[in-house]
Amino acid sequence: MTTEDEQEEQHPMAGQTGPRAADRTLEVLELVAGAPTPVSAKALARSLGCALSTAYTLLAPLTDRGYLVRTDGGYTLGYRVSALHRAFQRQMGLTDGVDGIDGVLARMRHATRASANYVAYQGDGLVIADVRTFAADGDEQADLAVGVDPRSHAYAHGKIALAAAGAAARRRYVEQPGLRRFTPNTIASAERLDEELRRIRRTGVALDVEEARTGLACLAAPVLGTDGAVIGSVSLAVRPADLRTRRHQLIAAVKQAAREASPVR
């Protein structure tokens, strides 16, 4: 009688067909991408909870297609990943250079002497698809990352996404992950948040003053796609005192940058 591991050794992808096999292959890619150093096949097998032969079976197509590269120390991301990222940037309208998003952020940072950010939205608008940051030396920065951010109701860029999202998407966010309180200033009631989002839709700018993090204030404006839908936002991260003293200048700068970043001006 063979053990489960022995059966898997004999048939490495037994029970690993269709969506399950695709899911585990993507899991391998994500594990390698999230590691600070090359990852060995043995380490991947341990993380996946599978036999070593199964790990090699999952690694083979990723390596053959150039999404992973095998080095002396283990597996690292391959050249095809950067090609995918460039294609993603084209689809999201994230062009580089002085006429692209990077140029817009560089000009906004120079004009305001503040950290400038661009956040691209995807799906129902509450998923951060890409982040660009031009940090000002010694100034505060928002801690932004791709994915669903449970702090969306506390950050200015997140409020832009919530204000543009449909009622069903906003309701899902309020229910899960919910309106957690990160500082004493965080909006933690659905009624107050609705009022705030109505103000944002009316004025075209979102503010947060120490709502996500003590000592940090942000302001953001929506970037519109060719169909007029909100596809992202540009934002500035400053100290609360700077927002109080330069409020009008910063609002004007972030609105101008949002117009420049929009594909149709």
Side-chain angles (χ1 to χ4, degrees):
M1 186 172 180
T2 58
T3 66
E4 184 177 340
D5 280 350
E6 287 171 341
Q7 290 173 351
E8 194 168 20
E9 289 288 349
Q10 293 168 14
H11 305 284
M13 292 302 289
Q16 305 284 320
T17 59
R20 176 60 175 158
D23 184 66
R24 299 207 84 181
T25 301
L26 291 173
E27 191 175 355
V28 169
L29 188 60
E30 291 171 351
L31 285 169
V32 174
T37 58
V39 186
S40 69
K42 287 184 178 179
L44 288 169
R46 285 194 300 270
S47 296
L48 293 169
C50 68
L52 182 59
S53 60
T54 300
Y56 278 122
T57 301
L58 294 167
L59 285 162
L62 291 170
T63 306
D64 291 344
R65 290 173 176 266
Y67 293 105
L68 295 181
V69 172
R70 186 175 185 176
T71 69
D72 291 340
Y75 290 85
T76 63
L77 293 179
Y79 67 93
R80 287 291 295 274
V81 173
S82 61
L84 278 181
H85 184 60
R86 287 193 296 273
F88 166 77
Q89 289 179 314
R90 288 195 301 272
Q91 292 179 7
M92 297 297 294
L94 302 173
T95 54
D96 295 323
V98 295
D99 295 325
I101 294 296
D102 290 348
V104 170
L105 295 181
R107 290 191 293 274
M108 185 166 61
R109 180 186 63 176
H110 178 75
T112 62
R113 305 183 307 281
S115 293
N117 307 285
Y118 176 79
V119 174
Y121 308 133
Q122 205 167 41
D124 59 11
L126 297 180
V127 177
I128 297 178
D130 194 77
V131 175
R132 302 290 184 91
T133 298
F134 274 56
D137 293 338
D139 210 341
E140 295 292 338
Q141 297 180 50
D143 180 20
L144 308 179
V146 297
V148 177
D149 193 342
R151 304 167 299 172
S152 291
H153 62 291
Y155 270 130
H157 71 270
K159 292 180 184 180
I160 291 290
L162 285 165
R170 288 197 304 273
R171 186 164 55 251
R172 285 195 303 271
Y173 178 87
V174 170
E175 294 172 355
Q176 182 66 34
L179 303 180
R180 293 171 51 196
R181 189 181 292 278
F182 302 101
T183 75
N185 294 337
T186 306
I187 294 175
S189 79
E191 293 76 15
R192 281 194 58 205
L193 180 62
D194 283 342
E195 181 181 343
E196 176 82 347
L197 298 182
R198 285 195 295 271
R199 185 195 64 77
I200 291 168
R201 287 189 286 268
R202 185 175 67 253
T203 64
V205 65
L207 302 174
D208 83 73
V209 183
E210 299 186 287
E211 293 180 44
R213 199 176 83 204
T214 301
L216 178 70
C218 297
L219 58 164
V223 174
L224 305 181
T226 55
D227 59 355
V230 175
I231 59 173
S233 66
V234 291
S235 63
L236 290 168
V238 298
R239 295 181 178 87
D242 287 337
L243 180 58
R244 286 192 291 271
T245 58
R246 297 196 290 150
R247 182 186 183 101
H248 295 299
Q249 177 208 358
L250 296 174
I251 288 176
V254 80
K255 283 187 170 183
Q256 175 62 31
R259 288 192 291 269
E260 292 179 7
S262 297
V264 179
R265 302 192 188 22

